[in-house]
DNA sequence: ATTAATTTTTAGGCATACCAAAAATAATAA
DNA sequence: TTATTATTTTTGGTATGCCTAAAAATTAAT
């Protein structure tokens, strides 16, 4: 049974479980999927029976090898579609996520591989997230969150972890797009808000926003 | 409620009701959708309540204005995707129908219009079926079925009404692709099978196949 | 006009995927 | 450690969309 529901659960468990080491709580899933916790319990019991997850009652859930495999496949589809929508069809990075949420469920890997080929087998999507290859292999990176950046250093924006239209439009406004170079001017000790320079202009970044911007030292 | 199920019923009723004049029988729907007649009865009662169809018990069903509108929108999506898959992504005309059956349900008209624009707003899909424009307007044509063709006349292949891979591959084998010119050599009086010339080669067409090939006089 | 065949509808069920409310567990604070 | 809060699970329902078997209605054949 590989329903859209199953695909969405596995993808979400994958996304919530950093490095696939951490166990995912029911509550986290309920929040992300916008579903009642009672329904999550039910679903996890079924996914456990299907051998896609190891669900330990009242403790947490992690993916099995089969679960990871399917999750990677869906994540690949999602990110390839996002990239295609931006690069080939002219959509903005702030509008592709919702569309990809639907397109990712179209069951045809030849289609995905064709799109990937046209795109030159990209390794990162428009939000800087790594795209698994057809075999499920993912490019490793040494990116950090902007909230972990040090004063006076120079960085390049590599990605975001919040895919909401509101956040991405806010970034666009301040030219904080992928590839942009930024210099940390000051970090406010009191609340960790950051003042940085981007395109010669000062931008004030809240700690919350800094958590969602991924950068690399340059 | 615009579920995938509703979309599939409306699209199928539209496709079965030539010119939107004929009433569609439950049986026809059951056959096309590969669903039990009892389920069809149920579904039609609901669609009637939703005001998408006028369903007269034990008589037949036709689309309301709202129903036609939605059907045309789905048909447009389906045919635009088929065209895009063939023209831009290199798929064969025999493999795109099943993929489009899924893609047609992705709810984003900006996406469809973008694809249409890239394709130059095509008016016919890879099987010769007319593509409704964004407003639902359809190009009229004076095509006939090959089964209605007359001996000694010349025709151009304009489309097919059977979208199965088997049939399309059979046509490919005899070079009976869209745009191909054919001459009717003889029509067997006994069973109406046709012998035609295509690319200087004789091809024997069964009455069943002739029903599914659409041509235009040249 | 009957009979026979086909189609449609009704009736009773089943699986999936969700929910709200209450009970049980676990985590945190006092 | 006990009390409070938060999370998880159980229980009992709902809506959708499908099914089979049997009854009713329609259509076709004799
Ligand atoms: Mn999804
Ligand atoms: Mn992304
Ligand atoms: Mn469909
Ligand atoms: Mn077509």
């Amino acid at each position: 049974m590989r329903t859209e529901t199953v695909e969405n659960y596995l993808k979400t468990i994958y996304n919530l479980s950093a490095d696939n080491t951490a166990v995912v709580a029911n509550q986290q899933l309920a929040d992300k999927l916008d579903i009642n916790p009672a329904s999550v319990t039910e679903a996890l019991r079924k996914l456990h029976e299907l051998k896609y997850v190891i669900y330990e009652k009242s403790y947490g859930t992690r993916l099995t090898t089969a679960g990871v495999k399917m999750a990677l496949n869906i994540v690949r589809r999602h990110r390839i579609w996002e990239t295609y929508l931006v690069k080939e069809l002219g959509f903005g990075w702030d509008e592709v996520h919702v569309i990809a949420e639907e397109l990712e469920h179209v069951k045809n890997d030849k289609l995905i591989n064709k799109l990937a080929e046209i795109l030159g087998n990209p390794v990162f999507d428009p939000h800087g997230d790594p795209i698994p290859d057809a075999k499920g292999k993912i490019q490793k990176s040494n990116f950090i969150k902007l909230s972990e950046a040090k004063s006076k250093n120079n960085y390049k924006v590599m990605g975001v972890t919040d895919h909401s239209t509101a956040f991405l439009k806010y970034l666009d406004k301040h030219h904080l797009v992928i590839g942009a170079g930024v210099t940390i001017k000051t970090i406010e000790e009191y609340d960790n808000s950051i003042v940085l320079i981007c395109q010669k202009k000062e931008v004030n970044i809240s700690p919350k926003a800094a958590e969602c911007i991924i950068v690399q030292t340059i």
Side-chain angles (χ1 to χ4, degrees), chain A:
Chain A
M1 240 116 285
R2 184 170 170 160
T3 64
E4 219 167 290
T5 305
V6 166
E7 290 192 342
N8 281 334
Y9 270 97
L10 296 185
K11 180 189 69 170
T12 307
I13 294 166
Y14 177 87
N15 285 333
L16 287 173
S17 169
D19 280 334
N20 253 318
T21 51
V23 127
V24 176
N26 292 22
Q27 183 95 161
Q28 294 178 278
L29 284 166
D31 288 348
K32 274 277 179 201
L33 293 167
D34 199 22
I35 277 172
N36 190 292
S39 308
V40 172
T41 302
E42 259 188 327
L44 291 177
R45 214 181 309 124
K46 253 179 249 162
L47 290 174
H48 185 101
E49 267 168 37
L50 291 169
K51 302 247 167 81
Y52 288 133
V53 305
I54 293 156
Y55 155 63
E56 290 180 67
K57 208 165 135 174
S58 283
Y59 165 64
T61 303
R62 67 210 139 89
L63 296 170
T64 62
T65 310
V68 170
K69 197 180 160 194
M70 196 191 291
L72 283 168
N73 180 250
I74 302 153
V75 166
R76 172 172 163 82
R77 292 182 190 174
H78 184 100
R79 295 179 182 169
I80 286 291
W81 270 117
E82 282 189 345
T83 310
Y84 193 84
L85 289 168
V86 168
K87 291 273 177 67
E88 301 292 325
L89 300 179
F91 282 87
W93 72 334
D94 58 305
E95 46 186 353
V96 296
H97 180 74
V98 272
I99 312 178
E101 289 286 17
E102 292 190 62
L103 287 165
E104 72 189 8
H105 300 292
V106 173
K107 278 148 204 56
N108 192 297
D109 284 326
K110 185 178 169 186
L111 173 57
I112 295 298
N113 294 335
K114 199 101 196 173
L115 300 178
E117 192 195 313
I118 289 170
L119 292 164
N121 296 301
V123 172
F124 292 103
D125 85 357
H127 311 105
D129 294 311
I131 303 174
D133 70 16
K135 282 172 189 155
K137 201 166 186 185
I138 279 198
Q139 177 97 14
K140 283 228 183 71
S141 64
N142 58 336
F143 305 155
I144 59 168
K145 289 189 273 185
L146 182 58
S147 56
E148 294 158 357
K150 304 237 156 55
S151 200
K152 305 301 164 200
N153 287 15
N154 297 307
Y155 297 93
K156 191 154 83 166
V157 175
M158 301 306 289
V160 293
T161 54
D162 177 352
H163 297 174
S164 72
T165 302
F167 180 63
L168 298 176
K169 279 195 165 153
Y170 157 79
L171 292 185
D172 271 337
K173 202 167 64 190
H174 298 297
H175 311 290
L176 286 166
V177 297
I178 292 203
V182 298
T183 305
I184 311 292
K185 197 183 173 198
T186 54
I187 301 173
E188 178 60 56
E189 272 205 29
Y190 164 61
D191 69 348
N192 288 311
S193 69
I194 297 171
V195 179
L196 55 75
I197 313 286
C198 177
Q199 301 224 327
K200 304 205 175 157
K201 277 190 185 152
E202 272 191 21
V203 188
N204 207 307
I205 305 288
S206 74
K208 188 187 165 197
E211 279 290 310
C212 303
I213 301 172
I214 305 296
V215 298
Q216 184 181 30
T217 323
I218 48 173

